[in-house]
Amino acid sequence: MKSQTEKIKLRILLTGVGGQGTLLASRVLGEAALEAGFSPLVSETHGMAQRGGIVVSTVVLGELQSPIISPGEADVLLGFEALEAFRALNYCHPKSLVIANTAAIPPYPVAIGKAQYPRIGRLMELLAAQVGGLLAFDAEDRARQAGSPLGVNMVLLGALAASASLPFSDADLRQILSTRTNPKFLEANLKAFQSGVDAAGNDKYWLKRPAAWH
Amino acid sequence: MSELLTGQPGERRLYLGNEAILRGALEAGVALVATYPGTPASEIGDRAYVVSRQTDLYFEYSINEKVALEVAAGAAASGWRSLCSMKHVGLNVAADALMTLAYVGVKAGMVIVSADDPSLFSSQNEQDNRYYAKMAGLPMLEPASPQDAKEMTRAAFALSEELNLPVLLRTTTRINHSRGAVTLRELVPPAGPGFFAKEPFQKVMVPAVARLAHARLLEAQAQAAAQAEVSLFNKIYGKGTWGIVSSGVSSSYVEDAVAELGLKDRVQVLKLGFTNPLPVSLILKFLAPLEKVLVVEELEPCLEEGLRAIAQAQGLTLPIQGKSPALFSRLYEYHPALVRQVTARYFGLPGKAGEPQEPEKVLGEPLPDRPPNLCPGCPHRAAYYAVKIALKDLGLEGVFPTDIGCYTLGLLPPLSMADFLICMGSSINTAAGISKATNQKVVAFIGDSTFFHAGLPGLANAVHQNHDFLLVILDNGTTAMTGHQPHPGVTLTPVGYPCEHVPLKGVVKALGVQNLWVVNPFKYKETLAATKEALSASGVRVLIAEAPCPLHVHRVQGRKSQARFRVTDKCQDCRHCLDYFGCPAMQLNQGPAGGRMRIDPDVCSGCAFCVQWCEAIRPVKQ
């Protein structure tokens, strides 16, 4: 197991808005990686930044010691909110895989008419042109349909698990969800997770397929 | 059961750096932990609180960091291994105790955690606390990972006992708030009752005793230096005639840079974990075969200056560089690509620098900001609003010294209720100075936890000196910003939390304040009337705005208001709510016929404050 885990380098950046559950998602990825024999590093935002601001966390796997990710070096970007996914473009490189929630949470300046929220279709189009792959869909809607309105994180984890970019399976992630998250929400969480898996299997959400898959 | 109390020796766990620190202390048989919460150190105390409910560990949220350090020092003097943790600026508060505790020393091991915050994620400055170790003459360890953090904390207790000195464990945000694989060791139960052995002519720092104690400290520093020479936390790896020296999280960036630049056969790395005193012989042995050395450390050139002094004393002239316009900055935290690029530049190698795409350039227009904001239903916003309107009605303009907490966000428009801030407790004393020097109306703001932390002497002083300002104490019944830790004034605590209640109002009165108003800021008319009275009076006036943090109430009691409000057709589009209040639930719908205010029912907390001053806002019928 060890020789295999050492060869890989994988840097995952998660970005969203306070309250969207980015911390739990990064923790679950970290636990799954630990279970798979890696020595993952997960870095989190706490404190002042959480009061309605942007929350970024990172998960780093394999032959790496640094807990954070530099601009231009995220292999995978999980964008929990459309604008924040686009804002993190500077963390991507030309081969990055981006999985983005297309639902918007208007920032306060937008909510009071002091700034414009850019057109989401345009954000996704521009994003797709800069990165290696883009899977974009309304994860909020899918979470709601799965009976878990706060389950955007579970939907995105499911989509990530099904994107074949992780060195462990979606079954491994489900296993972690069932042992590390609140049992009260497990059924809804697993349903939201599956909805994300399904989204990744739907061609229409792939605004750009990663080159290696063609 | 706390996650920190389970697990077999040899098992790997994914721990936050802060959890790893506490686990290390538990593996060393720590008996007492004391803290005042502060990002990025807060989780050490929060986890210790949970552990203390399930074991014999004694834990307290002390009133401030000086108190925490002294409580821990007393226990350590009595044979209990003790730990106190704080954010970097907390050590300023505790510095008076720290400097002389170095003279007094300890009996059982004592570890002081200083969590620095390069890049100021949640702080008022980015001071480098490694200088405290130099100034106090204390041994210091700097972990580079959560695993290091656990092992160093554990080892620090033994080191502390060997030297009879407290040991500083200096971390940065990226250590405290990173999770990493940590391999567990056996937990060690705390010692039973301690015993304070009297040695007054060793432990009471009057001048005659302290003169000798200072000499003792210098001897202990020599012993500490000898320990640093053989410490397993200082490592040399790689080969070649180039050198890199680093400590803390920078060591991780260096390790990745060396691997990615393919320098394993060209560069030797000295990874320092025991950084005060510096291991002179080890450093000289490291420098001897080298042509040039790069020092990688965030913030101040602490190691760099130490290395240069050591090299100079030995007559070595090789270049030793770190901070310079062409290399590393003294500002902000570093990141892996930065360290890789500077390393490549210093050694004249081609750097593998990708050009990240800037999102605003790609879009061709600026992206809307997402500033943090006070929560919907926050009592601070209600109190600020009343003061704003009272000043406006009286035709006055206020100057607002503020303090440290969620309410510092009152800085942002439309509230704009913060004009001056230095540190915990500074609102009261700077208000005194400003009101003395000017004829302006001064209204200072301080939170309840901050008031107990550092406000009491200032208020007593203001009364004694007959200063002239209004102090508004924003009493939300908790330490909200750092995660709702208790303080002496709290009444709402988790079930079974053992504490005595020190009533805020009684304390203010006892400090000699004659003009005191206590209001519930959500009762607008009363609050406005009281604020106007308070503004019009003279001398030291205190207005306590008392309403619990709704997040805290929800967390402790599971209660959440079900009421919701809406904007009716009566709205004249005056936008007073946007210009004076700025609740995140109040939004402007952009329509073809111009904007129109609405209240987002998913964001509205149901606090029923706005409905008291705007006729167009009415309850939603359930």
Side-chain angles (χ1 to χ4, degrees), chain B residues 116-198:
Chain B
D116 293 13
D117 191 19
S119 282
L120 304 97
F121 290 96
S122 206
S123 302
Q124 67 267 38
N125 77 23
E126 58 175 349
Q127 69 186 42
D128 189 331
N129 273 12
R130 294 179 298 172
Y131 286 118
Y132 269 119
K134 275 177 175 287
M135 184 159 67
L138 291 176
M140 175 172 60
L141 304 178
E142 287 186 75
S145 67
Q147 173 71 35
D148 264 7
K150 182 181 79 80
E151 290 305 309
M152 284 185 181
T153 307
R154 182 176 165 276
F157 283 99
L159 180 66
S160 168
E161 279 164 19
E162 211 155 318
L163 302 169
N164 295 318
L165 291 177
V167 173
L168 277 164
L169 184 83
R170 187 261 189 176
T171 60
T172 55
T173 304
R174 294 303 181 184
I175 299 298
N176 300 94
H177 287 168
S178 287
R179 287 182 186 279
V182 170
T183 305
L184 307 185
R185 294 177 190 256
E186 201 88 50
L187 291 169
V188 173
F195 182 77
F196 182 88
K198 292 181 176 226

Side-chain angles (χ1 to χ4, degrees), chain A residues 1 17 26 44 58 69 77 105-106 123 128 130 167 178 188 200:
Chain A
M1 180 59 88
V17 179
S26 50
E44 308 179 347
T58 60
I69 300 176
L77 168 64
I105 301 175
L123 292 180
Q130 301 290 337
S178 59

